[in-house]
Amino acid sequence: MEKSASAGTGVPAAIYDDDIVKKFAIATILWAAVGMLVGVIIALQLAWWPANLGLPWTTFGRLRPLHTNAVIFAFGGNICFTGIYYSMQRLLKTRMWSDTLSKIHFWGWQLIIVSAAVTFPLGLTQSREYAELIWPIDIAITLVWVAFAINFFGTIATRKVKHIYVAIWFYMSFVITIAVLHIVNNLAMPATFLRSYPLYSGMTDALVQWWYGHNAVGFFLTTPFLGLMYYFLPKAAERPIYSYRLSIVHFWGLIFLYIWAGPHHLLYSGLPDWAQTLGMVFSIMLLAPSWGGMLNGLLTLRGAWHRLRTDPVLKFMVVGVSFYGMSTFEGPMMSIRAVNGLAHFTNWVVGHVHSGALGWNGMLSFAVLYWLVPRLWNKPLARPAMATQHFWLATIGIVLYTVSMWAAGLMEGLQWRAVGDGGLLANPIFIDIVHRLEPFYWLRLVGGTLYFVGALMAVYNFWKTIRGPESVSADAAAPVPAT
Amino acid sequence: MNPVIQQASESIGMGGMATILTLLFMVAFFAWVWYAYTPRNRQKFEDAALLPFEEGVDR
């Protein structure tokens, strides 16, 4: 199927701007290593506090937002842009609307990441989760995002294909919703160049933060990645998506439900009861479109399952999509009031986040990179066996990470609420429970380190591939569209 | 609470709001399921599923 398509005449593949795709791909690989390294460091700090070096700049409170922002917006953001710039030009059969805007987007985004890496260790933060960056940087994000949005919709407006493929609908929800979320959540009154006060206060502030926070999961870590799945999974499996019609129901169901789910972060809080229930009910309903999407991805592989034995790209994709299914089952379950009463504030939440982030986002990102890098540079992957080793290290790492955090979270939750004879707390000294977490923290560190080492192997593999010799024959490389 | 919002909430009531919204959401849901599965759109979506394989081909 692929061969006949790339052999077609008409619009030459050279009309596409792949230079920008290469830039974003390299940025993805570099920031993946940086973001995960900081994650490993703070995991070590939780198990062994002297790892904070006794310096204010390297304490957990400052490095934690650096880790979350680096992996979400630097690694996650750059892989989404890589996949979007590559696939939308091909799906719409047109070059990006403006190369200048593409470059502004790329360099602007990297500059914002660097400014985050400088300000967080200095302790400059506005203390909003996943939106810690101070207001001047928030304005820079807005400007860069608008540049991206103009270019994105300009490309759609000048497309040569009538139908807009489902992946691009998912990208559209990403571009629009992130703009709305970012602006509303960051409305603030600046006091000095480095400090500001939020527009909201009290419970309203908490609700705005978690409306933003959960939709950052929904529209930064889910919809653009689903767009990537709907393009790159059929490409890698060399067969169309199992059900295009299901993908339409998946898209509308998902975006419609996700936007209401934020209040599940505020169960048992001062938020009005009906709003808590609303957040919980919409979270549970999210299971339906999420699993529809997961099944659509997995069933695409029907008749191609044997290729999983040999193709590392498909291995990464299948595990990634499976983790999408697992974490979107766990999430709705944790949003149920009774379960949340046990899970909230425990390490179970950390485990849940990482089953989604390492399992779904990370594995899918590496799948896209392993598929894309050889094609972009027109060279065979330098160390195919190493890609498979990376896959196994990452998979084992995720399992150790999630299992240790489940155990830690359940232990914490149960011990916090345990009541002895006479109605007194069975564990009245909080720090005792904290001490009992230590073995789980070490186990998590092992899991996270395995995942990080796998990512370093990918960096090495891509470095050798890009610097390696041109492919001699068409068969030596993975099938590549003519350039 | 803002008196305007309070007045609005008292005039219709949370139950009424929830009823109207639930009905609206259900109509929206049935609309997009119908759009996806109506036989008239079958061929269109089967063609659309092949778009990732048509790069560089003008139609």
Side-chain angles (χ1 to χ4, degrees):
Chain A
M1 196 171 286
E2 176 144 357
K3 280 195 180 105
S4 65
S6 56
T9 50
V11 183
I15 66 160
Y16 302 136
D17 179 10
D18 280 346
D19 188 50
I20 194 73
V21 184
K22 287 181 181 174
K23 283 197 177 81
F24 274 116
I26 291 173
T28 306
I29 298 162
L30 292 178
W31 292 124
V34 174
M36 289 172 200
L37 172 66
V38 181
V40 169
I41 292 171
I42 59 175
L44 175 64
Q45 290 182 354
L46 285 176
W48 185 64
W49 66 265
N52 70 22
L53 306 176
L55 301 169
W57 309 284
T58 46
T59 46
F60 183 85
R62 294 188 184 187
L63 290 190
R64 192 260 181 182
L66 182 62
H67 165 62
T68 53
N69 281 266
V71 288
I72 299 171
F73 301 114
F75 172 49
N78 277 309
I79 187 65
C80 290
F81 302 139
T82 305
I84 289 173
Y85 279 94
Y86 182 86
S87 63
M88 82 177 293
Q89 297 185 81
R90 284 161 172 80
L91 287 167
L92 302 174
K93 289 178 193 159
T94 185
R95 194 183 176 90
M96 290 309 293
W97 186 65
S98 160
D99 287 2
T100 310
L101 286 177
S102 300
K103 289 195 184 81
I104 290 173
H105 178 206
F106 175 78
W107 290 109
W109 195 254
Q110 310 315 318
L111 202 64
I112 287 162
I113 296 166
V114 171
S115 69
V118 173
T119 54
F120 287 145
L122 290 173
L124 298 169
T125 169
Q126 59 172 1
S127 300
R128 302 178 80 74
E129 197 158 15
Y130 311 125
E132 290 90 347
L133 291 167
I134 54 175
W135 71 270
I137 306 177
D138 287 337
I139 290 177
I141 293 173
T142 311
L143 295 176
V144 170
W145 200 266
V146 168
F148 170 46
I150 292 171
N151 200 11
F152 178 84
F153 285 106
T155 309
I156 292 177
T158 54
R159 69 185 188 274
K160 308 276 194 309
V161 177
K162 183 160 173 280
H163 184 83
I164 299 175
Y165 184 72
V166 62
I168 296 179
W169 285 88
F170 276 103
Y171 301 156
M172 278 197 270
S173 74
F174 166 58
V175 178
I176 295 170
T177 316
I178 292 302
V180 174
L181 293 168
H182 174 73
I183 291 170
V184 173
N185 184 49
N186 285 299
L187 287 176
M189 178 58 70
T192 68
F193 186 66
L194 302 173
R195 293 267 173 254
S196 64
Y197 293 92
L199 187 69
Y200 321 98
S201 63
M203 202 63 239
T204 314
D205 190 39
L207 185 58
V208 171
Q209 283 199 43
W210 282 110
W211 167 79
Y212 164 86
H214 197 76
N215 286 307
V217 179
F219 291 89
F220 210 101
L221 295 175
T222 307
T223 57
F225 283 87
L226 286 169
L228 299 184
M229 180 190 88
Y230 275 117
Y231 180 80
F232 288 98
L233 183 61
K235 290 297 275 186
E238 291 170 353
R239 56 200 66 220
I241 194 73
Y242 170 69
S243 167
Y244 193 82
R245 303 168 131 196
L246 180 58
S247 77
I248 296 170
V249 179
H250 178 203
F251 172 77
W252 288 107
L254 197 82
I255 62 159
F256 209 82
L257 297 179
Y258 235 124
I259 205 85
W260 304 89
H264 70 220
H265 287 263
L266 298 164
L267 298 177
Y268 297 106
S269 74
L271 188 72
D273 220 36
W274 66 267
Q276 295 183 26
T277 306
L278 178 119
M280 179 181 109
V281 169
F282 274 84
S283 305
I284 294 166
M285 287 196 289
L286 260 176
L287 183 62
S290 302
W291 274 45
M294 171 195 67
L295 291 171
N296 214 354
L298 291 180
L299 288 171
T300 300
L301 288 158
R302 74 204 183 288
W305 285 102
H306 61 279
R307 288 184 46 209
L308 242 67
R309 286 196 208 108
T310 48
D311 188 351
V313 171
L314 285 181
K315 282 191 219 280
F316 275 100
M317 271 184 185
V318 164
V319 168
V321 174
S322 303
F323 268 101
Y324 174 60
M326 283 186 262
S327 47
T328 56
F329 172 77
E330 192 182 24
M333 189 176 68
M334 292 170 82
S335 77
I336 298 168
R337 263 203 189 80
V339 182
N340 198 262
L342 180 67
H344 204 172
F345 298 125
T346 72
N347 281 290
W348 185 358
V349 178
V350 183
H352 168 62
V353 169
H354 284 83
S355 112
L358 302 175
W360 158 237
N361 302 117
M363 297 302 256
L364 190 75
S365 301
F366 286 118
V368 169
L369 286 174
Y370 279 119
W371 188 87
L372 204 48
V373 167
R375 284 169 174 77
L376 281 174
W377 276 271
N378 198 19
K379 294 169 184 183
L381 189 66
R383 303 274 188 281
M386 196 181 256
T388 304
Q389 290 156 8
H390 171 197
F391 166 80
W392 284 111
L393 275 186
T395 306
I396 296 166
I398 300 168
V399 171
L400 287 177
Y401 195 118
T402 50
V403 170
S404 62
M405 290 296 97
W406 275 332
L410 285 172
M411 185 200 76
E412 277 178 289
L414 290 171
Q415 293 190 356
W416 286 345
R417 62 163 54 171
V419 176
D421 294 338
L424 296 172
L425 284 175
N427 299 282
I429 302 168
F430 184 81
I431 198 72
D432 283 350
I433 303 175
V434 177
H435 276 303
R436 290 175 200 138
L437 293 173
E438 197 183 330
F440 301 109
Y441 281 162
W442 282 112
L443 196 57
R444 183 256 301 271
L445 178 64
V446 173
T449 305
L450 288 179
Y451 198 90
F452 174 61
V453 170
L456 288 183
M457 291 164 79
V459 173
Y460 173 79
N461 211 341
F462 293 138
W463 170 260
K464 294 300 276 184
T465 304
I466 294 168
R467 296 295 302 257
E470 294 278 345
S471 67
V472 258
S473 72
D475 294 336
V480 177
T483 46
Chain B
M1 191 194 271
N2 181 318
V4 179
I5 296 175
Q6 182 156 13
Q7 207 179 3
S9 70
E10 281 166 0
S11 65
I12 186 162
M14 284 305 295
M17 286 265 286
T19 309
I20 293 166
L21 281 177
T22 306
L23 287 173
L24 277 177
F25 285 11
M26 277 176 67
V27 169
F29 174 73
F30 289 125
W32 74 62
V33 171
W34 175 84
Y35 169 73
Y37 284 92
T38 179
R40 225 167 30 146
N41 285 338
R42 172 186 283 274
Q43 194 56 47
K44 178 179 151 186
F45 292 143
E46 275 174 15
D47 293 345
L50 297 174
L51 280 173
F53 305 101
E54 289 176 11
E55 59 182 60
V57 185
D58 211 356
R59 327 192 261 190

